[in-house]
Amino acid sequence: MLFGLYLVLTETSLPITTLAREIEARGFDSIWVPEHSHIPTTGNTPYPGRGPVTRDFARTLDPFVTLAAAASVTTRLKLATGICLLIQRDTIHTAKTIATLDQLSGGRVLFGVGGGWNKPEMENHGTAYATRFAKLEEQLQALQAIWTEDEAEFHGAHVDFDPLWCWPKPVTKPHPPIYLGGETDHTLRRIVRFANGWLPRVRDAELVLAGIGRLRAFAREAGRAESDIAITAFAPPAKKDALAPFRDAGVERAVLALADGNADDTLRRLDRYAELARECA
């Protein structure tokens, strides 16, 4: 099992160029960064499992600028969004951004995507909460068309464009792997149809482990090989006994949450997590 790290970076965090070097030097395979374009000052939907939304959510750095900076000082580290709020983004611009990052990094992008949860945030981008997943499905199909076709076009209810040229294409073929977040059966079926992997939040380990079995069953029903769909367990407890069931279930990767802190605390935590990764791999 591989190990990545989840980083919530702000303007007061250690520089990503420093962190990325230290993370790669300790053998971690990937870094995962979240996305919030902004946080409305009123009316926010509570964050699932963590209560009210605070202004701290609005301090997150742009994920793709952050990952580009990390790419510039590393050679092996995978560069991942955890998660990109695709439904709040222009599809064509996002296709070019991800393909550019994949080109500049030599094919190191992992594209974590989700439907989002903060209703007023997405509505400020013109996205309707009730149809966000229908839009997400169309965007995923449109992105893959742009990345893999010289003249791509797409015509849907939420994404609609005539034939276009858009380069660069990603280094990774046919495109960077797409990991979908979420824990419902709707998400699992969506993964089988549109994605390459599952990115479940480990708030209840038993539910996620049961979901792995359902995901594989849905894949078989659809005629898709189970091995085509990778699983990355997102933010499980950083304990050997908590990680072992995921390793034994054939999970590709565990992403541990690295809390923000000063340089000494962060490096000590990195050393501890690196030792844990060696014990559990």
Side-chain angles (χ1 to χ4, degrees), residues 130-230:
T131 58
R132 66 195 187 282
F133 290 113
K135 180 179 180 180
L136 179 66
E137 291 181 1
E138 290 188 6
Q139 287 183 290
L140 291 173
Q141 295 173 80
L143 284 174
Q144 292 176 65
I146 294 170
W147 288 333
T148 60
E149 300 172 15
D150 284 347
E151 291 191 7
E153 67 178 297
F154 189 88
H155 303 287
H158 304 278
V159 181
D160 187 13
F161 53 82
D162 290 328
L164 56 77
W165 296 323
C166 181
W167 284 278
K169 303 300 183 185
V171 170
T172 308
K173 301 302 180 189
H175 54 73
I178 298 168
Y179 290 77
L180 282 188
E183 292 77 46
T184 68
D185 280 0
H186 293 297
T187 295
L188 301 181
R189 293 185 184 277
R190 193 173 290 120
I191 291 164
V192 172
R193 292 161 59 203
F194 303 116
N196 309 101
W198 186 26
L199 188 65
R201 296 163 293 184
V202 184
R203 294 179 293 189
D204 185 322
E206 293 303 318
L207 286 178
V208 173
L209 291 166
I212 292 172
R214 294 199 308 278
L215 174 61
R216 290 170 176 165
F218 293 153
R220 291 193 298 270
E221 290 171 8
R224 186 169 177 186
E226 294 179 20
S227 58
D228 285 348
I229 301 175

Side-chain angles (χ1 to χ4, degrees), residues 13 29 35 77 90 120 156 175 192 196 227 237 239 243 246 256 263:
S13 302
D29 103 294
E35 175 172 44
L77 199 63
D90 176 84
H175 54 73
V192 172
N196 309 101
S227 58
K239 298 179 181 178
L243 293 165
F246 294 101
L256 306 177

Side-chain angles (χ1 to χ4, degrees), residues 2-258:
L2 303 171
F3 282 84
L5 292 173
Y6 169 60
L7 316 171
V8 181
L9 301 175
T10 72
E11 74 277 12
T12 63
S13 302
L14 288 177
I16 184 58
T17 47
T18 299
L19 281 168
R21 287 191 188 98
E22 297 289 347
I23 289 167
E24 183 174 72
R26 286 164 174 79
F28 293 98
D29 103 294
S30 54
I31 56 171
W32 299 70
V33 296
E35 175 172 44
H36 282 288
S37 59
H38 70 291
I39 295 296
T41 58
T42 59
N44 292 295
T45 309
Y47 179 63
R50 279 181 49 188
V53 178
T54 68
R55 71 173 63 195
D56 290 342
F57 286 82
R59 296 186 180 278
T60 55
L61 303 181
D62 178 89
F64 294 107
V65 176
T66 301
L67 293 173
S72 72
V73 296
T74 57
T75 59
R76 302 180 307 278
L77 199 63
K78 298 287 188 181
L79 312 162
T81 50
I83 58 172
C84 171
L85 295 173
L86 182 57
I87 59 165
Q88 299 181 182
R89 286 179 160 269
D90 176 84
T91 305
I92 299 171
H93 271 307
T94 302
K96 182 177 282 285
T97 296
I98 294 166
T100 300
L101 180 61
D102 201 58
Q103 278 279 343
L104 295 178
S105 68
R108 291 191 275 149
V109 173
L110 305 176
F111 188 39
V113 186
W117 48 268
N118 195 354
K119 185 172 182 282
E121 181 183 356
M122 65 184 72
E123 287 177 343
N124 283 349
H125 289 278
T127 297
Y129 186 82
T131 58
R132 66 195 187 282
F133 290 113
K135 180 179 180 180
L136 179 66
E137 291 181 1
E138 290 188 6
Q139 287 183 290
L140 291 173
Q141 295 173 80
L143 284 174
Q144 292 176 65
I146 294 170
W147 288 333
T148 60
E149 300 172 15
D150 284 347
E151 291 191 7
E153 67 178 297
F154 189 88
H155 303 287
H158 304 278
V159 181
D160 187 13
F161 53 82
D162 290 328
L164 56 77
W165 296 323
C166 181
W167 284 278
K169 303 300 183 185
V171 170
T172 308
K173 301 302 180 189
H175 54 73
I178 298 168
Y179 290 77
L180 282 188
E183 292 77 46
T184 68
D185 280 0
H186 293 297
T187 295
L188 301 181
R189 293 185 184 277
R190 193 173 290 120
I191 291 164
V192 172
R193 292 161 59 203
F194 303 116
N196 309 101
W198 186 26
L199 188 65
R201 296 163 293 184
V202 184
R203 294 179 293 189
D204 185 322
E206 293 303 318
L207 286 178
V208 173
L209 291 166
I212 292 172
R214 294 199 308 278
L215 174 61
R216 290 170 176 165
F218 293 153
R220 291 193 298 270
E221 290 171 8
R224 186 169 177 186
E226 294 179 20
S227 58
D228 285 348
I229 301 175
I231 299 166
T232 288
F234 193 79
K239 298 179 181 178
K240 188 175 180 179
D241 59 349
L243 293 165
F246 294 101
R247 179 197 59 207
D248 297 343
V251 167
E252 173 195 40
R253 176 188 297 107
V255 176
L256 306 177
L258 182 66

